[in-house]
Amino acid sequence: MALQRSLGIHPVICSILVQRGISTFEEARSFFRPQLTDLHDPWLMKDMQKAVERIILAKEKQEKILVFGDYDVDGTTAVACMYRFLKKIHDPLDFYIPHRYREGYGVSKAGIDHAHANGFTLIISVDCGIKSADLIAYAKELGIDFIVCDHHLPDEQLPPAVAILNPKQKDCPYPFKELCGCGVGFKLMSALTKALGLPPDSAMADLDLLATAIAADIVDMADENRILAYYGLQKANQSPNFGIKALTVLSALRGTLNISNLVFMIAPRVNAAGRMDDARKAVQLFISDTYEEALRYAEMLHSDNSDRKEADSSITTEALELIRSRTDWTGRSSTLVFQPHWHKGVVGIVASRLIEHYHRPTIVLTQSGDYAAGSARSVPGFNLYEAIHACREHLLGYGGHFAAAGMTLELDKVELFREKFEEVVAATIHPDMLIPEIVIDHEIRLRDITPTFYNIICQMEPFGPQNLRPVFVVRHVVDTGASRILKETHLRVAIRQEHATITGIGFGMAHLYPLLENGKPVDIVFTIDENEWNGEKNLQLRLIDVRAAAQAS
């Protein structure tokens, strides 16, 4: 293989690179060594000139500017980045995050009224606004201009903003379409840097926040997102934002921060602010001028996250008991559960948890005021939004996309909605979609797992959609006699193949232990990671699945 000859690395890794569209030495160099010089020109984005000119005008006239964003990780980091950037060049400035339950998602009337009452004449919305045509028209009537920085799919009718920055607009020539909301804001800051003659790295000051947004929003880890996440991780490890540093300390994270840490440790704490209370403090965390100030806000988010985990755990347990008690739901193609006392902030997370147990499109509802409201999550390949759209006769409102959605309905319509949703899903879902699928990159032997092999896999970071952490399978391995169950829940394996041995951990997989007993051969699917214990680092397997090995023919 030409790529293997030019790179001199393990043929399995070369094969994985080719599967991911990397077949030449130059493509491999760009992949392993991303360059900021390869970022696209921000002026290619439609309306960029208009947006920059309007901000410069506001600067010259000393207008009050309000940065408006959503309450999730992408929205709060986008607001923090834009606010911190503008603060260097403009003074009459503030930010606004809508309250999740009082105002709902995106641009809100309450937010516009707040801007009007306080004399703001320019609102820059980040990670929202593209679907807010009526509200932005309302703002215009009040004498407030909007610049929209968004990445969600536009409707046919665009809002009457002075500028719309969104690479997904049909007539936008920008070459990369998969930026997150914070990423679109970054392109505006990059253009302003050039227009105002600021130091070239002015827009780069918060790449660690941008990397957090890219990780949390699960956008494609390709093109600009890969470059920005790569350098954002460097900043997160070398000179992090005080907020990132404080959350890292409270999360008890040690060693090098990677995308997985941002997704599973940092992002949930940021999201918890909006889920359990008020997301404004997530922005205050990231714009803190001192570590001590950031730590105070981080402790609030950490507390919110503890409350979130408790609610998430108890509601998931209740929901699973509810499903098991309904024998008439056995064999269904969908799940819809409802309890009026469940916390609205975690129903989406609970829907995802239920899919781990029952692999089918799932809706979790709770009572919100006089109505039922909730969230839905899909299984890979099934268009959830279309299914919910087909049930619209029973809904007061709904929104979302292919994989996730939200809805509101009358309390007495829950049963009708459940049956209609099941009818639609059963009629449209392919049976294969109801079976969990593991995508395996390559089969290897245990002897292939060496520090050199692992180090090259680590250089494939940052991982994410379009560049997932490689998943491997080894076949016909046997227990060395040291495999065991940990804390009644987890599976610790010690396995052998030929003369090679290695250990591995399978969280929540204790029920698979009998497969390893009596020296029976098994096939194991896993990723490779590093375990540090008492100052020693060793490679280990992170188990995904274990099954009895097929009989050799």
Side-chain angles (χ1 to χ4, degrees), residues 104-383:
Y105 167 80
V107 174
S108 65
K109 184 175 183 296
I112 293 170
D113 289 340
H114 166 84
H116 181 59
N118 289 278
F120 290 93
T121 50
L122 175 61
I123 295 176
I124 302 172
S125 71
V126 283
D127 191 37
C128 62
I130 196 68
K131 294 180 180 291
S132 303
D134 292 345
L135 284 165
I136 290 176
Y138 169 67
K140 194 174 180 181
E141 289 171 10
L142 297 176
I144 301 169
D145 283 342
F146 253 88
I147 294 171
V148 172
C149 302
D150 205 347
H151 69 124
H152 297 99
L153 204 60
D155 294 330
E156 284 300 316
Q157 182 192 0
L158 293 174
V162 295
I164 297 174
L165 304 179
N166 186 333
K168 291 192 176 87
Q169 291 182 86
K170 286 177 184 174
D171 55 349
C172 179
Y174 197 74
F176 184 57
K177 307 297 183 183
E178 302 306 321
L179 292 167
C180 62
C182 191
V184 177
F186 168 78
K187 301 312 293 191
L188 174 55
M189 293 188 295
S190 300
L192 280 164
T193 295
K194 293 182 181 181
L196 294 168
L198 301 175
D201 61 351
S202 295
M204 307 281 180
D206 291 304
L207 286 186
D208 49 347
L209 299 187
L210 177 48
T212 304
I214 290 168
D217 229 49
I218 320 179
V219 288
D220 287 355
M221 195 61 76
D223 202 297
E224 285 194 306
N225 286 340
R226 178 172 173 79
I227 298 169
L228 293 166
Y230 180 88
Y231 285 95
L233 281 172
Q234 285 190 4
K235 184 172 188 307
N237 284 294
Q238 293 165 10
S239 58
N241 174 283
F242 288 135
I244 295 286
K245 183 179 179 182
L247 288 176
T248 301
V249 169
L250 291 179
S251 304
L253 282 171
R254 295 179 183 85
T256 304
L257 268 175
N258 57 33
I259 286 292
S260 182
N261 300 142
L262 296 181
V263 171
F264 294 110
M265 302 299 283
I266 303 299
R269 286 165 170 77
V270 178
N271 268 330
R275 290 186 187 281
M276 309 308 289
D277 187 24
D278 184 352
R280 184 176 171 87
K281 60 192 171 195
V283 178
Q284 290 167 319
L285 166 78
F286 291 133
I287 65 173
S288 295
D289 292 322
T290 66
Y291 175 70
E292 289 70 28
E293 182 186 0
L295 190 59
R296 286 199 301 276
Y297 287 112
E299 284 167 346
M300 294 180 203
L301 268 61
H302 192 67
S303 174
D304 286 341
N305 192 52
S306 297
D307 293 344
R308 189 273 307 167
K309 284 196 284 191
E310 191 176 318
D312 161 12
S313 176
S314 64
I315 293 170
T316 299
T317 299
E318 282 184 45
L320 287 169
E321 288 172 356
L322 183 60
I323 294 166
R324 290 179 191 124
S325 71
R326 292 292 298 265
T327 53
D328 55 318
W329 290 356
T330 304
R332 284 198 161 212
S333 300
S334 69
T335 298
L336 188 154
V337 287
F338 165 66
Q339 285 295 329
H341 64 276
W342 287 345
H343 195 293
K344 189 178 176 183
V346 299
V347 290
I349 299 172
V350 172
S352 297
R353 300 263 190 261
L354 297 183
I355 289 174
E356 293 171 10
H357 292 265
Y358 300 93
H359 192 77
R360 57 201 190 200
T362 297
I363 297 173
V364 180
L365 298 174
T366 184
Q367 188 165 341
S368 179
D370 296 329
Y371 305 104
S375 292
R377 295 292 183 268
S378 192
V379 293
F382 183 72
N383 192 328

Side-chain angles (χ1 to χ4, degrees), residues 13 44 75 103 169 341 391 468:
I13 294 176
L44 293 173
E103 298 170 66
Q169 291 182 86
H341 64 276
C391 305
L468 295 171

